[in-house]
Amino acid sequence: SLITMGYRDVEMPDGTVKRFFWTPKYDPRFPSYNQGPKCQQYFIDFQKCMWKKGEGYKPCDWFRHHYEHICPASWVEKWQDQIDRGVFPSKQLLKWQNKYPQAPAVEEE
């Protein structure tokens, strides 16, 4: 399904595609309307999940689903590039990576 910020195109059983507006539920960690900190935290939580559980671990998609819907694509591209180069500026993520060994990728069933 095609995902753009706030919208999701879902293929229905009859083959037609419907567009739904979607936003994450209220998160008490982020009570303000500024979505920037929430967006970055979901991205970091996704990276932490993938690190500890392995790439392809399905429950990690919950975090990915959330950050894809509230983060501007340019932010995600920048952060992903930084992750790939090993220069993503997050002490939280570095502590996580130092605390836990990186898990191998999950095999597709």
Side-chain angles (χ1 to χ4, degrees), residues 12-86:
M12 305 308 285
D14 65 2
T16 61
V17 175
K18 276 186 121 171
R19 176 168 275 194
F20 293 93
F21 183 73
W22 182 89
T23 58
K25 300 289 184 232
Y26 176 75
D27 188 334
R29 298 178 298 169
F30 308 102
S32 72
Y33 287 105
N34 180 359
Q35 297 294 298
K38 185 178 192 177
C39 157
Q40 187 176 34
Q41 189 60 52
Y42 284 134
F43 182 81
I44 291 170
D45 289 345
F46 175 73
Q47 298 301 324
K48 287 166 53 177
C49 184
M50 296 296 277
W51 181 269
K52 187 155 195 279
K53 296 297 186 177
E55 197 168 324
Y57 184 67
K58 295 285 185 206
C60 294
D61 286 344
W62 187 90
F63 296 111
R64 181 187 52 77
H65 179 72
H66 280 65
Y67 81 71
E68 282 181 344
H69 279 80
I70 61 174
C71 298
S74 61
W75 291 13
V76 174
E77 288 169 13
K78 177 183 173 185
W79 294 338
Q80 193 57 57
D81 177 58
Q82 290 173 334
I83 291 279
D84 294 342
R85 292 186 293 126

